[in-house]
Every structure is written in structure tokens, then in C-alpha cells.
Amino acid sequence: MGRIREFDEDKVLDAAMQIFWEKGYEATSLSDLTSRMEIQRPSIYSTFGGKKELFEAALRKYMMSRASLIRAKLQSKPSVKEAFRAFFEGVVDEEYTENPRKGCFCINTMVELAPHDEKFEILTREHQMYLSVIFQETIERGIQSGELEIVDAKAVSQALVVSLIGLTVMIKSRPERSFIDNTIEVTLTLLK
């Protein structure tokens, strides 16, 4: 008869997500994981598989929660233009104040693992496409309300995703805030 788990799987997955997010996949050791998750190695293996499977579970959890948060932020304002402005400015504020240099866990994975691991290439690409759908739905709401006069909502949403990814990566090098603010202003001109 197997032992009953004596830990909250969701809580330990959150802890794993945080350490992977801070250090990346390669730099995170099993000792880092067991220490942060407060469980033993056998529990990691029996619950999640190996380190790679744990990383994948943590990344999937992050992507789901991040997508939900982005959707909520974009739906929080009646004006689509204001919603996108608040969203992009919020990303920058978060990176400069709350999570310095931590970046987006998914984008960090895209840079670290996607070029060398097909599974993470596909996962990060799926997240990009999902964000594009969220952006497109928001843009279409603006078109329907008469706020926006965009001909190709899909193309604009994809351009906004690329801008978001580039912005998030660039912020890691701490450019002047005015550089980032000017970039956001130009990016938002796509919402005409």
C-alpha cells in the first residue's frame, strides 16, 4: 500500500515555480527544489516524475494563471485602448519595482530551453498563440464598440504579443525608463 502524501501538491508546485522562475531550469538543482518545496526527492519523483516534468508542470501552472490574469486586466476597463495602456504600463512597473529582473517565466523558458527542447518550444509557442487570441478578442471588442478601426485584428494582436515579449526581454537589461515608455507609446499606435 502506498503512502499518503503529506503535502499540498499545489503549494509545492508554487514553490517549484518560484525557484525555477528565479534561477531558470539549468541553474536550479534538486537540492534547491527540495529545500524550497520542503519535500524529499522521492516525493518529487513519485508526484511529478523528474526535474524536467516538474518544470513543465510549474510552467503550465504559470501560463494558465498568467493568461487568466492578462484576460482579466484587459477586460477591467471599458476602453480597449486604456486597457492595453494599463496592461503594458503594468508589465513595466512590475518589472522595475516588484520583480526586478525576474521577467516572465514563460519568456525566460522560451529563451533558455525552447531553442534546444522541442517540448518547451511547443509549450511557449502555444502560450504566445493563446495571448494572441486574448489580445484579438479584446481588439474585436473595441472594433464592435466603434472605439477601434482596425482591419486585421489578428495581425495587430500578434504584433502586440511580439512587442510584449521584446519589451519583457529588454527590461532585463534595465534600459532608461523613457526608452521603454516611448516604445509603449509607439506600440499602442497600432490601436487606431
Side-chain angles (χ1 to χ4, degrees), residues 56-160:
E56 180 182 347
L59 180 62
R60 285 182 184 278
K61 180 178 175 98
Y62 172 86
M63 291 187 313
M64 287 177 54
S65 66
R66 187 70 180 154
S68 295
L69 179 67
I70 291 170
R71 183 182 298 276
K73 284 183 177 183
L74 290 175
Q75 291 176 348
S76 69
K77 298 193 179 298
S79 165
V80 168
K81 289 180 182 180
E82 287 176 23
F84 273 107
R85 176 174 299 285
F87 169 69
F88 273 89
E89 289 175 351
V91 167
V92 173
D93 289 342
E94 183 178 316
E95 290 300 316
Y96 273 91
T97 58
E98 295 175 27
N99 297 315
R101 299 182 191 218
K102 199 169 173 184
C104 167
F105 184 29
C106 185
I107 294 171
N108 294 348
T109 302
M110 188 186 324
V111 173
E112 180 185 13
L113 296 178
H116 314 290
D117 190 309
E118 185 178 9
K119 176 177 272 191
F120 293 106
E121 173 190 334
I122 292 167
L123 277 174
T124 57
R125 188 172 52 238
E126 285 174 358
H127 186 63
Q128 295 162 37
M129 294 302 106
Y130 191 65
L131 291 181
S132 180
V133 168
I134 293 170
F135 286 5
Q136 184 175 342
E137 290 170 358
T138 306
I139 290 168
E140 287 170 350
R141 179 170 52 98
I143 293 169
Q144 289 172 355
S145 73
E147 180 183 4
L148 302 177
E149 296 180 11
I150 293 173
V151 176
D152 191 343
K154 182 176 182 178
V156 172
S157 69
Q158 291 170 344
L160 289 173

Side-chain angles (χ1 to χ4, degrees), residues 19-20 23-37 41 44 51 54:
I19 190 77
F20 279 131
K23 297 181 84 171
Y25 177 76
E26 291 296 333
T28 301
S29 69
L30 279 173
S31 295
D32 293 331
L33 290 165
T34 57
S35 175
R36 183 70 66 95
M37 296 167 73
R41 286 181 189 208
I44 291 175
K51 177 182 169 185
L54 174 60

Side-chain angles (χ1 to χ4, degrees), residues 156-180:
V156 172
S157 69
Q158 291 170 344
L160 289 173
V161 170
V162 170
S163 296
L164 174 64
I165 292 169
L167 188 67
T168 305
V169 172
M170 180 166 261
I171 289 173
K172 285 180 162 285
S173 69
R174 288 290 187 256
E176 291 291 322
R177 181 66 189 254
S178 61
F179 185 95
I180 297 299

